[in-house]
Amino acid sequence: MRKWFWLLVYVLLAGVTFIYRYELLAWAEDHQSIPLLLSLATLFALVPVIPYKFVIIAFGYSYGITMAAWICWLGTTLAAILVYAGARTIFREQARGYLERIRGLNRFTAWMEAHPFMGVMTMRLLPVVPQMAVNIYAGITYTPFWVFLAATAIGKMPAIFVFAYAGAQAGSSIWLSLGVLAGYMIVMAMIFMLFRYRSRKKA
């Protein structure tokens, strides 16, 4: 019963956030309060109705690179902790049983549990991996909390800094902003291809 209650709460929160997503962003721009901005940054990371990269860019454009970077970093880290805790305490047993029935994931789960810090941080750095999935997966596997927190905090820094910088530069030079984003995407694509190459080589 408790599982369905929290699932219902999350669905309702997601629905309300999706309906009023643009109003919430506009409200944050009109009320530049740090607690409010942190709450919205956490909400949009917890309920990804808008790609979080767009949220970081919007914050960077409105508040500058420094404020946008640390607020979005702290907000997405807090959201990751909440999802990790929910998956670990509410859905762990059921989800764990489901994972064990998927043959393709057994090997990866074993590697993840043997190298939790490297596993979480690698998935944080790869832009193609949904961050919500990382939070849930770490929660239902045997990933220690402090290891998850450290890997998450470190792994999220590069992307948040880049997108906050791109947003801050968009007002003065849109081409510089696009160039920064393009350069980041190229670097991440290279890292992803290297990761795939090493994975296939080990297999």
Side-chain angles (χ1 to χ4, degrees), residues 127-203:
V128 296
V129 179
Q131 296 302 294
M132 184 65 72
V134 178
N135 302 332
I136 296 173
Y137 192 77
I140 62 180
T141 57
Y142 296 104
T143 303
F145 171 74
W146 293 111
V147 173
F148 169 79
L149 179 59
T152 294
I154 296 172
K156 284 180 175 291
M157 285 182 182
I160 289 177
F161 179 82
V162 168
F163 285 100
Y165 180 81
Q169 297 300 317
S172 57
S173 176
I174 187 64
W175 292 111
L176 176 59
S177 178
L178 293 175
V180 169
L181 292 176
Y184 173 77
M185 292 301 179
I186 291 172
V187 171
M188 288 298 102
M190 294 173 62
I191 293 176
F192 178 66
M193 288 188 291
L194 178 62
F195 179 78
R196 289 192 62 185
Y197 171 77
R198 293 191 62 181
S199 299
R200 290 179 178 179
K201 191 174 181 180
K202 288 181 180 180

Side-chain angles (χ1 to χ4, degrees), residues 120-134:
V120 172
M121 192 166 68
T122 300
M123 289 192 290
R124 293 298 186 199
L125 292 172
L126 294 176
V128 296
V129 179
Q131 296 302 294
M132 184 65 72
V134 178

Side-chain angles (χ1 to χ4, degrees), residues 10-191:
Y10 182 81
V11 170
L12 291 174
L13 181 63
V16 172
T17 306
F18 177 77
I19 294 172
Y20 296 103
R21 59 194 185 281
Y22 299 120
E23 288 82 355
L24 288 171
L25 286 175
W27 187 41
E29 188 170 356
D30 293 336
H31 303 79
Q32 297 187 16
S33 164
I34 290 180
L36 173 62
L37 294 178
L38 179 58
S39 299
L40 286 179
T42 305
L43 176 63
F44 281 121
L46 185 62
V47 185
V49 295
I50 299 176
Y52 204 69
K53 297 177 179 62
F54 294 159
V55 175
I56 302 170
I57 291 173
F59 274 45
Y61 180 82
S62 300
Y63 314 115
I65 180 173
T66 302
M67 181 176 288
W70 81 263
I71 284 181
C72 290
W73 173 78
L74 186 56
T76 189
T77 302
L78 289 173
I81 292 173
L82 291 174
V83 176
Y84 169 91
R88 191 178 185 88
T89 58
I90 301 175
F91 300 101
R92 184 176 187 175
E93 294 182 3
Q94 183 178 1
R96 182 79 189 191
Y98 176 76
L99 282 181
E100 291 176 353
R101 292 197 296 268
I102 304 176
R103 293 184 178 179
L105 283 179
N106 288 337
R107 186 174 180 179
F108 179 75
T109 300
W111 180 87
M112 177 82 174
E113 292 177 342
H115 309 86
F117 181 84
M118 185 59 65
V120 172
M121 192 166 68
T122 300
M123 289 192 290
R124 293 298 186 199
L125 292 172
L126 294 176
V128 296
V129 179
Q131 296 302 294
M132 184 65 72
V134 178
N135 302 332
I136 296 173
Y137 192 77
I140 62 180
T141 57
Y142 296 104
T143 303
F145 171 74
W146 293 111
V147 173
F148 169 79
L149 179 59
T152 294
I154 296 172
K156 284 180 175 291
M157 285 182 182
I160 289 177
F161 179 82
V162 168
F163 285 100
Y165 180 81
Q169 297 300 317
S172 57
S173 176
I174 187 64
W175 292 111
L176 176 59
S177 178
L178 293 175
V180 169
L181 292 176
Y184 173 77
M185 292 301 179
I186 291 172
V187 171
M188 288 298 102
M190 294 173 62
I191 293 176

